[in-house]
Amino acid sequence: MKLVTAARMRDLEAQAISAGSSVDLLMEQAGLAVAQETWLTLGTVAGRRILVLCGPGNNGGDGLVAARHLAEWEGDVVVSLLAPRAEDDPHMAHLRSAGVPILNAGEDADMAGLQEALDHAEVVIDALLGTGRQRPIQGVLAAMLRRLADAAARPRAPKVIAVDLPTGVDADSGRADELAVRADLTVTFGLAKVGLFTLPGSEHAGRIQVVDIGLPKDAADGEPLDLLNAAWVRARLPARATAGHKGTFGRVLVVAGSRQYVGAARLAAEACYRAGAGLVTVACPASVQPMLAAAIAEATWLPLEDERGALAATAGGTVIDALAGYDVLLIGPGLGRSAGATVTIQTILADAPAGVRGCVIDADALNALADHAGWHDRLRTPSVLTPHPGEMGRLLGSTIEAVQDDRLGVAMRAAARWGQTVVLKGAHTVVATPEGRGALSPFANALLATAGTGDVLAGVIAGLLAQGLAPFEAAGCGVYLHGMAAADLGGELGDRGLLASDLLGALPRAAHTILHGRPMRPLPGFGDFAGVGAPGFDAAAPPAGGVDSL
């Protein structure tokens, strides 16, 4: 599913108008869609109490159209205006002729009328600001939103439906004012907005319904931003040839591990296999290899020069000599930040043979790069960099706060600057390419906030690269598989207690569900993962939160 910024949406609406549509027609379509979604929310409209909060712009106009339809369907509708509408506004005329009570919040003494309407409303429609210019939330608007928040907190709270975007949420960044509306449902028009799938905006949006309002059929063609979903992944996951062998599905060399972080190497290597790679070799300090050997019997081994359980500075040459036999290099998980490991990482990334299909650079390999200005000019292999916000801040000489404040923008600019695909991890992980393509994960899952889950993600991406996917496709598919596996396990675990190793068995189950839309039997030793392919689960959408437009 395509995502757009507010400016891009305005461009598309302008194109629709120049092609023969009109502002009134777009508004009519939008308002009707909101009214229909309100009907579906209530089950019936006749006699039901509905409050419509309308701003002064087009978003408010959408709300007025919705109010008109709901009144025609015999709803008990009240409209509260943030500011007076134009005297000749035809939508206002329709409501007056229908006898719909219209309040002007600025003239509503102590907002007594608004409060009475809120006290009785079963649904409140937020048509105050939408994706237009975000005015400061103060004065009358702040007073309205405080009263709405109080109503939403009561035991028998009204359902809140946001028109295009919850008021107070930025359409592009997802930033949210402290008074921003928290909707149960957001009805967004034409194409979904980026801010609906970026925290904290996604927490305010509730369920998201994308509706057609008459944009040209090819409006989404060429849009560079995608929301990852099962259909996107299904179209890209590599086929599995029945007559294939381990060479068919690619060979991965995983440079990982140290005495302090033994498990990282195991998680990354097994994730390569779980993603479908044919052969995985772990290159780790020689003293660490015996600790790992029993944990992952399927791996082959390249013991490396060792200094007190970490890589020696001479280990880089051994890896370079071995790389000719591999398709993909994964480097970084658990290597630590010793001087020897840093030199080895820099040597490998600067001198990796051109024949390597791709490279995944994760964890301590990113930290090693951050210590040297101009590092991106020395990368010889198409790479996927997988920083978390702290690592991204170090790579950019910035702060975690600055990264998190504009996750999509930061990732897109970094990918362009470095000439490589970037995966900025976190809630709603971002994938960005040097050419300006981007993708957002629909998943924001506290289960993944635990040590080792990033090592698993790096391994999944490397395993997909080994099977021939391009860096952007491998990164996007890997991010979605990783998030879906965690979401599926959440059906059993709730929101805490996940071990990174739990993801390993869930990964092939998630892939199977994406490809075939039905569950498979649990793998021996991994239990029956509740949620995968469960009744009512739509593999084209995240199982929680949800997007109802796919």
Side-chain angles (χ1 to χ4, degrees):
M1 184 174 75
K2 293 295 184 181
L3 301 177
V4 292
T5 63
R8 182 60 186 147
M9 192 65 218
R10 288 192 291 271
D11 291 342
L12 294 172
E13 289 173 346
Q15 291 175 23
I17 291 169
S18 66
S21 188
S22 67
V23 172
D24 286 341
L25 182 57
L26 294 177
M27 193 174 291
E28 182 64 32
Q29 295 279 72
L32 176 59
V34 172
Q36 290 170 333
E37 290 300 324
T38 304
W39 185 314
L40 292 172
T41 297
L42 290 170
T44 184
V45 169
R48 307 300 287 271
R49 293 172 172 174
I50 303 162
L51 172 62
V52 186
L53 307 178
C54 294
N58 288 345
N59 193 252
D62 299 336
L64 294 176
V65 172
R68 187 191 85 226
H69 285 293
L70 291 166
E72 290 172 351
W73 301 337
E74 301 181 356
D76 184 356
V77 180
V78 175
V79 170
S80 180
L81 302 178
L82 172 62
R85 304 280 300 190
E87 287 296 326
D88 59 351
D89 188 325
H91 304 297
M92 292 289 290
H94 286 307
L95 291 174
R96 291 191 189 100
S97 66
V100 173
I102 300 174
L103 307 172
N104 185 333
E107 299 172 359
D108 183 5
D110 296 325
M111 293 196 174
L114 173 62
Q115 187 61 58
E116 182 179 359
L118 280 169
D119 287 343
H120 295 94
E122 297 172 80
V123 167
V124 178
I125 296 174
D126 164 28
L128 289 165
L129 296 185
T131 60
R133 185 176 175 211
Q134 296 295 301
R135 63 175 61 197
I137 295 185
Q138 56 191 22
V140 175
L141 178 58
M144 293 178 77
L145 295 186
R146 286 192 185 98
R147 289 179 182 267
L148 174 58
D150 289 343
R154 71 191 185 210
R156 294 176 63 86
K159 295 291 186 182
V160 178
I161 299 176
V163 176
D164 212 14
L165 192 82
T167 293
V169 172
D170 185 85
D172 297 343
S173 69
R175 287 188 291 269
D177 188 275
E178 63 179 9
L179 291 175
V181 169
R182 288 187 177 271
D184 298 288
L185 167 68
T186 296
V187 183
T188 195
F189 307 132
L191 296 170
K193 316 309 180 287
V194 173
L196 294 173
F197 296 96
T198 305
L199 285 175
S202 62
E203 290 185 323
H204 287 259
R207 186 167 59 87
I208 297 165
Q209 178 72 40
V210 184
V211 298
D212 179 25
I213 56 170
L215 297 181
K217 295 299 182 184
D218 59 353
D221 293 353
E223 290 300 318
L225 298 178
D226 285 282
L227 178 71
L228 296 172
N229 59 29
W232 194 97
V233 176
R234 189 182 305 118
R236 291 164 175 81
L237 279 181
R240 302 288 290 183
T242 304
H245 51 82
K246 60 179 179 287
T248 306
F249 303 121
R251 301 169 186 264
V252 184
L253 181 63
V254 178
V255 182
S258 61
R259 185 176 298 167
Q260 190 174 359
Y261 304 110
V262 175
R266 179 250 167 154
L267 292 168
E270 186 170 341
C272 292
Y273 274 129
R274 295 296 187 184
L279 182 140
V280 180
T281 297
V282 179
C284 62
S287 65
V288 172
Q289 189 267 341
M291 305 179 201
L292 282 165
I296 178 166
E298 298 83 0
T300 59
W301 303 92
L302 179 63
L304 297 176
E305 293 86 343
D306 187 320
E307 288 182 353
R308 295 184 297 277
L311 292 180
T314 55
T318 303
V319 173
I320 294 296
D321 291 342
L323 267 173
Y326 295 88
D327 303 297
V328 170
L329 168 68
L330 165 55
I331 184 169
L335 287 177
R337 303 191 69 177
S338 68
T342 298
V343 170
T344 293
I345 291 164
Q346 293 166 352
T347 299
I348 293 169
L349 293 177
D351 298 333
V356 175
R357 182 183 298 154
C359 178
V360 179
I361 306 174
D362 184 50
D364 291 317
L366 296 170
N367 293 323
L369 292 179
D371 293 336
H372 290 266
W375 56 265
H376 46 89
D377 295 326
R378 296 191 289 273
L379 294 181
R380 300 178 55 193
T381 304
S383 298
V384 178
L385 284 72
T386 58
H388 59 54
E391 291 160 346
M392 179 65 96
R394 285 191 286 275
L395 288 165
L396 294 173
S398 183
T399 64
I400 293 175
E401 292 74 19
V403 170
Q404 293 292 76
D405 193 53
D406 183 19
R407 287 174 52 81
L408 177 62
V410 166
M412 298 291 279
R413 290 189 293 273
R417 175 182 171 188
W418 299 335
Q420 304 291 350
T421 298
V422 171
V423 174
L424 177 55
K425 295 183 291 195
H428 302 299
T429 292
V430 180
V431 184
T433 74
E435 300 78 24
R437 293 178 68 191
L440 284 177
S441 169
F443 299 107
N445 191 338
L447 274 175
L448 289 172
T450 186
T453 58
D455 303 321
V456 173
L457 176 59
V460 174
I461 295 171
L464 293 169
L465 278 174
Q467 294 169 77
L469 291 189
F472 178 61
E473 282 68 30
C477 290
V479 164
Y480 190 84
L481 281 169
H482 184 258
M484 183 175 172
D488 294 341
L489 288 168
E492 181 177 290
L493 298 175
D495 63 358
R496 67 201 69 200
L498 177 83
L499 300 180
S501 56
D502 295 337
L503 293 169
L504 297 169
L507 286 166
R509 291 172 61 82
H512 184 87
T513 300
I514 288 169
L515 289 170
H516 304 292
R518 59 182 185 273
M520 60 185 288
R521 289 185 303 170
L523 294 175
F526 288 96
D528 188 3
F529 296 112
V532 182
F537 176 74
D538 177 4
V547 181
D548 289 344
S549 64
L550 305 175

